[in-house]
Amino acid sequence: GFGILGSAVVALIVLAAFKSAIISDVSYVDYCWRIVLGCGAIPGIAALYFRLTIPETPRYTMDVEHDVNKATSDVANYLQKTDTTDENDGPGNHVGVPKASWSDFTSYFGKWKNGKVLLGTSMSWFALDIAFYGIGLNNGIILSAIGYADTHDADYNLRAYNSLKNMALGNIIITIMGTVPGYWVTVAFVDKWGRKPIQIMGFIVLTVIFIVMGAAFNPLKEHSIPAFIVLFTLLQVF
C-alpha cells in the first residue's frame, strides 16, 4: 500500500519538476514517465542486494544443496544469533535426498482434501489479481470518466500538464482513502477474524460492488459522481 502511494507521490514530484518544460514543450512528458519508471527500480535493486548478501535458509541448504552439516550449522548460528562458523570450514556432508517428481505431485494433490486447498488458493489469488490490477491499471481512465482529470485550459501543453497532475493527485487520494486503510484493517483484524472469513468477506463485498458499478456505470457517472467515488473507494478498501 505504501509502495502504491509512493509511486503516485513520485509521479507528482517529477511532474512538478518538469512543469515549465512541459508547458513549453509537451514532449517532455516522455522524460517524466521514464524517470518515474526508473525510480521504481531503486527499491528493487536494494531488495536484490540484501537478498544476495543474506545466507541461504537451512531448508534450502538441506533440500537443494544436500549439505547436512551446513544446514545444522545455519540452524545453530540462527538460534545463537551469532555466526562463528565459516561455511567453507571442512567438507560438507552431502546426502542423497530424493528429488521431487510429478508422480509425487499428482499422488499428493490428486487427493481431493489436498487438491482443493491448492485449487482454492491459486484460483482465489488469480481472480483477485484480475480485479486488483484491473482497477489499478485503469485508475487514470476512471478519474477521466468522472471528470477529475479533465481540464479546460486553452493552452494544449498546460492542459496536458494539469490533466496528468490531477491524475497523480487523484491516485494519491484514492490510495490514502482506500488502498492503505484496506491493508491495515486486514493487518489489525486478520488474526481475530481468521484468514478464510476475512477473505470470503472481501470477495463477497467486491462481487456486490462490481455488479453495482458495472450495471449502473453510466447513470452513476452522469448523475451521481459522489456515489461513484464512494463505491470506487470501497473497491480499493476491500
Side-chain angles (χ1 to χ4, degrees):
F2 290 129
I4 296 170
L5 178 60
S7 67
V9 171
V10 167
L12 190 63
I13 292 171
V14 171
L15 279 169
F18 277 82
K19 180 179 180 180
S20 58
I22 294 171
I23 292 174
S24 300
D25 183 359
V26 75
S27 65
Y28 276 93
V29 168
D30 187 61
Y31 293 101
C32 293
W33 75 260
R34 292 175 189 274
I35 292 171
V36 171
L37 196 63
C39 288
I42 296 172
I45 292 170
L48 178 63
Y49 168 77
F50 287 112
R51 176 62 189 90
L52 292 174
T53 53
I54 63 173
E56 295 294 353
T57 63
R59 181 170 291 280
Y60 179 91
T61 308
M62 181 78 154
D63 291 348
V64 179
E65 295 183 348
H66 302 164
D67 191 337
V68 178
N69 286 352
K70 181 62 170 60
T72 304
S73 172
D74 287 344
V75 172
N77 289 334
Y78 176 76
L79 294 176
Q80 295 171 4
K81 300 295 183 184
T82 58
D83 189 4
T84 57
T85 306
D86 187 343
E87 64 179 30
N88 296 316
D89 286 350
N93 182 15
H94 292 268
V95 295
V97 179
K99 291 185 177 181
S101 66
W102 280 108
S103 60
D104 293 331
F105 179 87
T106 53
S107 64
Y108 183 81
F109 289 109
K111 299 173 183 177
W112 177 240
K113 68 175 182 177
N114 302 324
K116 68 180 181 181
V117 176
L118 176 63
L119 184 65
T121 304
S122 59
M123 293 308 295
S124 296
W125 190 264
F126 176 71
L128 178 66
D129 275 348
I130 292 175
F132 183 77
Y133 291 110
I135 294 172
L137 291 171
N138 287 290
N139 273 0
I141 296 172
I142 295 294
L143 291 169
S144 296
I146 62 178
Y148 188 81
D150 293 340
T151 62
H152 304 287
D153 302 289
D155 181 78
Y156 174 78
N157 293 355
L158 182 60
R159 188 161 73 246
Y161 168 80
N162 284 330
S163 177
L164 291 170
K165 183 190 73 173
N166 288 346
M167 283 190 189
L169 284 170
N171 280 323
I172 291 173
I173 293 168
I174 289 170
T175 305
I176 291 174
M177 290 175 61
T179 311
V180 172
Y183 278 121
W184 286 97
V185 166
T186 304
V187 169
F189 292 104
V190 68
D191 288 326
K192 297 177 182 178
W193 293 354
R195 281 144 181 78
K196 286 174 69 175
I198 204 169
Q199 185 175 4
I200 291 169
M201 179 271 293
F203 282 150
I204 290 172
V205 176
L206 281 176
T207 301
V208 172
I209 296 176
F210 272 127
I211 291 172
V212 171
M213 290 193 72
F217 183 82
N218 288 324
L220 282 170
K221 190 176 70 171
E222 293 171 6
H223 304 295
S224 185
I225 293 298
F228 187 102
I229 294 171
V230 169
L231 288 172
F232 188 71
T233 303
L234 288 174
L235 281 178
Q236 305 285 345
V237 172
F238 285 97

